[in-house]
Amino acid sequence: MTLYYLLLQYVHIVGATVLLGTGAGIAFFMLKAHFTGDAAIIAGVARIVVTADFVFTASAVVVQPVTGYLLARFLGYPILDGWIGLSLVLYLVTGAFWVPVVLMQIRMRDLATAATREGSALPRLYHRLFWTWLAFGFPAFAAVLAILWLMTARPTFSFL
Ligand code: HEM
């Protein structure tokens, strides 16, 4: 156990908690804001959520593979096979859903801000985006949960 390894492991675990915590928190606050039906609340919450995603989620998205790769190299684990290889595939799945989710949040924020300014109802596009955003959140979050299981259970298998 070197200090280098312990530090990497610690940062990696902090990254995992940030990823899960921010993801779950954002989903909760966006849902609560949406169901108020109040465009001003939705606009305010979406503004904070977009910032939180850029500050916390985006940082963890970069930190996880970097620290994960360094950990695997230090421990001599194969990167592209077994539980790490499958985690990488799932990580790409998460990313494929997360990127559109961020773009949808930005669009929903702008639509809710415009509706607040104009004193109009939330447009149909907002509602369509909201339900798509919700639907995309499930596979993204499920993939992160599956990665967490793989990272802790570390099942022995090979697909190469
Ligand atoms: C994206 C590429 C990733 C790679 C290459 C990777 C690699 C690794 C490696 C090699 C370990 C073992 C460290 C050790 O034995 O001390 C590990 C542990 C861990 N990883 Fe990852 N990881 C990645 C992403 C993630 C993600 C996205 C999460 C969470 C959502 C995560 C959560 C964890 C946790 C909690 C541990 C500690 C497990 C334990 O000590 O029991 N990792 N990771």
Side-chain angles (χ1 to χ4, degrees), residues 5 9 12-13 16 19-20 64-65 68-69 71-72 75 77 83-84 88 91 144 147-148 151-152 154:
Y5 165 70
Q9 190 193 43
H12 193 70
I13 290 174
L19 213 55
L20 280 155
Q64 281 317 88
Y69 168 75
L71 278 169
L75 296 164
Y77 293 152
W83 58 274
I84 299 180
L88 284 176
Y91 203 63
V144 175
I147 295 173
L148 195 62
M151 293 280 147
T152 48
R154 298 177 212 166

Side-chain angles (χ1 to χ4, degrees), residues 1-44:
M1 296 285 159
T2 65
L3 183 63
Y4 168 75
Y5 165 70
L6 289 174
L7 212 65
L8 270 182
Q9 190 193 43
Y10 186 74
V11 173
H12 193 70
I13 290 174
V14 169
T17 56
V18 168
L19 213 55
L20 280 155
T22 315
I26 279 177
F28 179 75
F29 291 119
M30 280 292 280
L31 277 171
K32 290 294 277 183
H34 172 80
F35 287 112
T36 63
D38 184 329
I41 292 177
I42 296 170

